[in-house]
Amino acid sequence: DEYAGEKGIPTDEIEQKIIETLKGEEMHIDDLATITCLQVSILSGKLTLMELNGLVVHIGQGVYRNV
């Protein structure tokens, strides 16, 4: 994908799934893991990368939302 890695654009299916699940709402990482069926350890790493790429914001105390 020519856009992969650019800021603000999901780079894979997991990131797309997270973006679609958040739908502009704030959500705790545990709830996000349950809904997406991803392990918290995998999700945590992915969310960190997504935050660096401008896709999500960590509100605090494990809560995230889309940008």
Side-chain angles (χ1 to χ4, degrees):
D1 187 333
E2 66 184 82
Y3 299 107
E6 289 187 28
K7 286 194 176 276
I9 299 173
T11 60
D12 61 28
E13 291 177 15
I14 294 174
E15 288 188 3
Q16 188 63 42
K17 187 176 195 177
I18 293 168
I19 294 293
E20 290 171 3
T21 302
L22 287 173
K23 298 177 191 163
E25 307 224 358
E26 296 179 0
M27 189 174 297
H28 192 274
I29 191 170
D30 291 339
D31 297 326
L32 192 54
T34 300
I35 293 168
T36 61
C37 298
L38 295 169
Q39 294 177 359
V40 172
S41 59
I42 293 170
L43 189 55
S44 178
K46 186 58 82 170
L47 286 166
T48 299
L49 292 174
M50 291 175 71
E51 186 173 17
L52 292 172
N53 287 324
L55 293 167
V56 298
V57 175
H58 182 219
I59 306 297
Q61 299 184 344
V63 178
Y64 291 84
R65 70 171 168 81
N66 290 352
V67 174

